[in-house]
Amino acid sequence: MSYAAVEVTWAVTGTTVQWKEHSAYAPGVQLFLAALGLLAGGACLASIRTLAKLGRVAVATALIVALPVFVVGMNGLPIYFVTIATLSGVESATGLAQVLLNTAGAALLLLVGLSYRRRLRGDCPRCGRPHAGAADGPLAHPAASRAPRRTRIAVYLLMCGLLPWAGTKTVWTLGGDALSVAGDDWQRASAASASGPSKAAASAGIDVTVLAAMVGIFLLLGLLYAWGQVFPRWTVVLSGRRVPRLLPLIPAWLTGIPLTMYGVVLLIMAPLMGAGVLPEIKPDPPFTTSAGITWFAGFGGLAFGGLGIGLVVAARSYSARTRPVCASATAAERPN
């Protein structure tokens, strides 16, 4: 209801809500999103009731249709995260609000859909295991473990996609030339829109977006290894305590999904532009050639897509390895 009310208010008042750079949501699209929000809200309320077959199909259809729309709407989340973390300023407050609303909607629909699917299968909607008794008792958490070897290798390979992009940006930040872009021109263009922290990092030869990618790598490693489930010794006060399960999962899902979509789009566009199927992007300083932009778009696709898919794969493994079960379920499985 709240989501629909916000969308209708923006549409009626003509408020500009940024979709991407130099592009905003049309009022008709906002009204469509409001209607979809109401439909999804109704499906969520109906999911907790006992329904006939037609009702179950209607709820499932509404959730399946609404979820991808909200997921696409959270596409700008990583970009807003970087601009806020580097104190670079938010280009559109309403655009950020829209992304956050879509993110909250996607998260809630995902949780409702998962619970609904478990209930239809006869499993506990809370822990996903079949057991008798209430689903509001204490939970039993599994022991800390690392991801399977195949998962770790896959994530490491995906992380390698960051190297061309991060290497090129580091060369520019240090004053070197790459992809027909002069380091001095890159530094001047970056300094024109950089904040204090960004300039300080650049003076040390560190690009803030590369630094943000390193934070993503740290999150990836935490999802793969046991220290992401139990606070390690270097956390001092928290050492030995269990890491709240959603602490790494929420940022992993919220950044991994939009990064994957963004990276895949770039990976499709770059070769099509190189082959002449799509028109090349006209160079804009500090870029001097269209070929340089095409190559950098490809590097960005490898980086963002690799990091995004890596986060999704690692988060899936972490979710499965750390899933708690109702204590009543484990008690029922013990031999008498």
Side-chain angles (χ1 to χ4, degrees):
M1 291 292 292
S2 300
Y3 179 87
V6 172
E7 295 295 338
V8 170
T9 300
W10 281 341
V12 172
T13 59
T15 303
T16 299
V17 181
Q18 183 173 300
W19 159 247
K20 57 182 180 179
E21 190 177 5
H22 309 307
S23 180
Y25 283 87
V29 174
Q30 292 172 313
L31 293 176
F32 167 76
L33 291 175
L36 188 64
L38 290 175
L39 178 65
C44 291
L45 292 175
S47 68
I48 62 176
R49 300 177 179 274
T50 302
L51 303 172
K53 182 178 180 179
L54 183 60
R56 295 196 298 270
V57 171
V59 169
T61 302
L63 294 175
I64 292 172
V65 170
L67 182 58
V69 176
F70 283 102
V71 169
V72 171
M74 57 186 275
N75 186 50
L77 187 63
I79 298 175
Y80 280 112
F81 170 77
V82 172
T83 57
I84 292 174
T86 58
L87 304 180
S88 300
V90 176
E91 184 176 349
S92 171
T94 53
L96 173 60
Q98 179 77 320
V99 168
L100 293 177
L101 286 171
N102 285 326
T103 300
L108 291 173
L109 285 177
L110 184 62
L111 292 175
V112 170
L114 180 62
S115 176
Y116 184 61
R117 180 172 177 268
R118 289 173 176 175
R119 189 178 291 108
L120 290 179
R121 294 172 56 181
D123 297 334
C124 172
R126 185 188 186 197
C127 71
R129 298 276 292 276
H131 64 82
D136 56 357
L139 291 171
H141 294 270
S145 62
R146 65 179 181 178
R149 185 170 181 270
R150 287 192 302 177
T151 300
R152 299 198 306 272
I153 292 175
V155 172
Y156 292 151
L157 292 175
L158 289 166
M159 286 167 55
C160 291
L162 285 163
L163 295 177
W165 171 81
T168 302
K169 298 205 78 173
T170 301
V171 168
W172 288 337
T173 305
L174 293 174
D177 301 345
L179 300 181
S180 300
V181 175
D184 293 340
D185 293 340
W186 174 265
Q187 291 176 349
R188 281 193 293 269
S190 300
S193 58
S195 63
S198 299
K199 292 179 181 178
S203 64
I206 302 174
D207 184 271
V208 291
T209 55
V210 175
L211 188 62
M214 292 173 63
V215 174
I217 292 175
F218 177 80
L219 176 59
L220 270 174
L221 295 176
L223 292 168
L224 293 177
Y225 291 96
W227 60 265
Q229 300 168 46
V230 178
F231 286 106
R233 294 179 181 177
W234 49 265
T235 55
V236 189
V237 178
L238 298 174
S239 177
R241 298 186 180 183
R242 183 175 59 82
V243 176
R245 186 167 179 258
L246 294 180
L247 183 62
L249 280 178
I250 289 177
W253 287 120
L254 293 185
T255 57
I257 294 174
L259 277 176
T260 298
M261 294 189 298
Y262 186 49
V264 168
V265 169
L266 290 178
L267 282 175
I268 294 174
M269 288 179 57
L272 291 179
M273 289 190 296
V277 177
L278 292 178
E280 293 184 328
I281 300 175
K282 295 182 179 180
D284 188 32
F287 287 94
T288 58
T289 64
S290 296
I293 297 177
T294 300
W295 275 104
F296 193 60
F299 289 170
L302 287 173
F304 303 137
L307 183 57
I309 297 173
L311 284 169
V312 171
V313 171
R316 185 176 181 274
S317 173
Y318 184 93
S319 177
R321 293 178 357 252
T322 61
R323 180 183 299 165
V325 296
C326 294
S328 57
T330 57
E333 294 175 356
R334 293 178 190 146
N336 295 326

